[in-house]
């Protein structure tokens, strides 16, 4: 039987995370080029960029799933080596379907026991994500949206200081998206530092405190929406001098800076 994973857990105010100069190449192809960013304690940071920008590669390098060519990860000022990251980072890739024959309730209880997760929060997380009717259902029988919510619940019950989620809203309808966004916001408010990769810009604007824009494997901007709007306006000023073309939304910012 596998030994439980010992994780440092989260503090009441969350953990500050710094990613410095991460680089990853495949031969001559640079998937990531000197990417740096910071995640403030207890915030939800959104990673946004076009298809092929390097979002998943960055997540895999930060999580230690994929070795980077260069770069470091620090949590609360301590550099976390690749071999240590399983204790500090919980990464939820898009499209995973673990334990297909096991019911949702088993998966949640196993997660709590194996990682030393938050048993006292189990019922709350189940309610937030609308999983009560699904607890007895095997994971393999769930729809895409149901499975997404069940896997998200698993991640929310782990104690790792940094929680990475790739496409948390994929497969969800509008109501489910709003419920999941609310659950993620509440989760971060309890002291979890959350980093999301999001394809739909409207979803990112709804849930994230700040944003990192990435394109062609390079970070193009980081900040709150207001900070990025200000940067985009400066960038757009020479070619778009009229006020009517001035960036004012997250969509405008992404188009202007990536």
């Amino acid at each position: 039987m596998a030994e439980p994973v010992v994780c440092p857990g989260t503090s009441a105010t969350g953990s500050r995370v710094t990613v410095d100069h991460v680089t990853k190449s495949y031969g001559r192809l640079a998937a990531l080029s000197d990417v740096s960013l910071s995640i403030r304690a207890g915030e939800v940071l959104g990673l946004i960029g076009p298809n092929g920008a390097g979002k998943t590669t960055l997540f895999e390098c930060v999580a230690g799933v994929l070795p980077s060519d260069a770069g470091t990860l620090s949590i609360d000022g301590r550099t976390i080596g690749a071999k240590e990251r399983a204790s500090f980072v919980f990464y939820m890739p898009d499209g995973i379907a673990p334990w297909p024959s096991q019911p949702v309730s088993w998966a949640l209880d196993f997660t709590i026991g194996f990682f030393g997760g938050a048993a006292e929060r189990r019922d709350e997380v189940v309610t937030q994500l609308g999983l009560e009717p699904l607890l007895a259902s095997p994971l393999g029988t769930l729809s895409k949206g149901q499975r997404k919510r069940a896997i998200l619940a698993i991640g929310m019950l782990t104690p790792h200081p940094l929680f990475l989620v790739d496409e948390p809203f994929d497969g969800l309808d509008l109501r489910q998206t709003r419920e999941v966004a609310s659950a993620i916001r509440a989760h971060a408010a309890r002291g979890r530092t959350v980093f999301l990769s999001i394809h739909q810009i409207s979803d990112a604007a709804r849930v994230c405190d700040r944003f990192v824009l990435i394109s062609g494997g390079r970070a193009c901007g980081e900040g709150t929406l207001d900070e990025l709007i200000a940067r985009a306006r400066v960038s757009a000023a020479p070619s778009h001098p009229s006020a009517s073309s001035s960036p004012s939304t997250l969509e405008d910012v992404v188009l202007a800076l990536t």
Side-chain angles (χ1 to χ4, degrees):
M1 181 177 179
E3 291 294 327
V5 174
V6 178
C7 302
T10 58
S11 69
T13 57
S15 299
R16 181 175 179 83
V17 177
T18 304
V19 175
D20 283 318
H21 308 296
V22 173
T23 297
K24 177 66 181 179
S25 296
Y26 297 96
R28 296 183 178 180
L29 174 64
L32 297 173
S33 301
D34 199 36
V35 175
S36 296
L37 58 92
S38 62
I39 315 174
R40 298 171 183 172
E43 81 168 352
V44 180
L45 182 70
L47 180 65
I48 302 174
N51 291 335
K55 298 188 297 296
T56 297
T57 301
L58 178 60
F59 268 29
E60 291 179 345
C61 288
V62 170
V65 175
L66 181 69
S68 60
D69 300 328
T72 60
L73 170 72
S74 301
I75 297 181
D76 291 332
R78 175 187 170 187
T79 299
I80 308 299
K83 294 181 179 180
E84 295 181 277
R85 293 187 190 178
S87 296
F88 286 84
V89 182
F90 190 86
Y91 171 42
M92 191 181 107
D94 184 32
I96 60 171
W99 311 307
S101 64
Q102 297 291 348
V104 172
S105 59
W106 179 93
L108 300 181
D109 292 338
F110 177 82
T111 298
I112 291 169
F114 186 74
F115 291 108
E120 71 280 1
R121 293 204 57 230
R122 181 187 186 277
D123 292 345
E124 177 185 351
V125 169
V126 166
T127 300
Q128 286 178 330
L129 296 174
L131 296 177
E132 296 96 332
L134 305 176
L135 289 175
S137 300
L139 285 159
T141 67
L142 302 182
S143 68
K144 183 177 182 180
Q146 291 171 337
R147 185 171 64 248
K148 176 71 72 173
R149 286 182 284 138
I151 300 302
L152 185 60
I154 289 170
M156 290 173 67
L157 291 171
T158 60
H160 306 68
L162 177 59
F163 184 26
L164 303 182
V165 190
D166 196 356
E167 298 294 350
F169 305 111
D170 187 40
L172 304 181
D173 61 30
L174 177 59
R175 185 180 301 277
Q176 292 169 345
T177 296
R178 290 185 175 182
E179 291 172 349
V180 166
S182 178
I184 291 173
R185 293 288 312 166
H187 190 57
R190 282 181 169 269
R192 194 80 177 273
T193 301
V194 181
F195 192 13
L196 309 177
S197 174
I198 304 178
H199 184 73
Q200 292 295 332
I201 293 174
S202 58
D203 295 334
R206 182 180 297 117
V207 71
C208 297
D209 299 298
R210 294 190 311 121
F211 309 89
V212 171
L213 308 184
I214 187 171
S215 182
R218 295 182 180 273
C220 306
E222 177 181 343
T224 64
L225 178 56
D226 287 344
E227 290 168 346
L228 290 173
I229 286 174
R231 178 172 176 175
R233 286 176 176 172
V234 171
S235 176
S239 55
H240 298 286
S242 66
S244 61
S245 63
S246 181
S248 60
T249 66
L250 182 58
E251 182 175 320
D252 294 339
V253 166
V254 172
L255 292 174
L257 297 180
T258 65

